[in-house]
Amino acid sequence: FSILPTFSGIITTSLAGSSYQALSYYSAFIFGMLLTYDIYLPRSLRFHWTSFIWYKALVYGLILVCVLGCLIGGGRGAFILMITYFLISLFASKGNIFSHKGLFNLFARLLSVFLILIVFLSFFWERDFIQSGFNRATQFISSDGAIDISEGSSGRDFVYLEAIKYISERPLIGYGPFDFREQTISPHNLFLEILLQFGIVGLVIFLLMLIVVAFNAINNRSIYTYWVFVLLLYPLVMLMFSGSYMHSA
């Protein structure tokens, strides 16, 4: 609904009437799910035809489509989410990555990435809508490689400063979970929102909960905990840049 019209000449940076953010984030999320499915789903849980070459080609073709969708939308948070999924899938391993099998799997993944990158650069990179989306998605990165929030955050720097000012007025317990919007602003950042709602006390409790969940997940890690982690990564990254956990997640 977005990629085909765009390639036909009608640039469509939204998805089913939603904003460019929806197109970018959904594309990045599906990108991560496809990588996780292809790499980590046990053979015992797959249909037999998923081992065929045509199916592998279809999956990696869809992965390429998701990259295009993310770049056409140009969402910055979605771009970071996609890169995060890519790095996790590239270096995470079900076994010892330094074993012969682990090194072979890593080499196979790098080779697949290299081939997809060649296809992407050869057929899509020079198109104007790809360049425009990529420039927007990476606008927060300055020419010297540093992070420049003032230039590439759509005014988030002013929003963050305003949120910090409100937090400094009630740092301990905040403004409450529901009334804070009438007294302050929407900070477009998960941690700033928690500070506005519950103050330092609430943020400490939230961080302790995350630590406990992460500790239990590591001690009881399995393919299923990895899937849960990949699923949770989507709302966590999104809420660091836009929306609110009370309705966006």
Side-chain angles (χ1 to χ4, degrees), residues 116-133:
I116 292 176
L117 185 61
I118 289 177
V119 173
F120 178 78
L121 293 176
S122 301
F123 294 97
F124 305 111
W125 179 246
E126 295 298 329
R127 295 180 180 267
D128 292 339
F129 54 84
I130 294 295
Q131 289 286 321
S132 175

Side-chain angles (χ1 to χ4, degrees), residues 80-100:
I80 293 175
L81 176 65
M82 184 175 67
I83 296 300
T84 304
Y85 277 138
F86 169 72
L87 293 176
I88 290 174
S89 64
L90 188 62
F91 295 104
S93 176
K94 291 181 287 186
N96 182 7
I97 193 173
F98 296 107
S99 64
H100 292 295

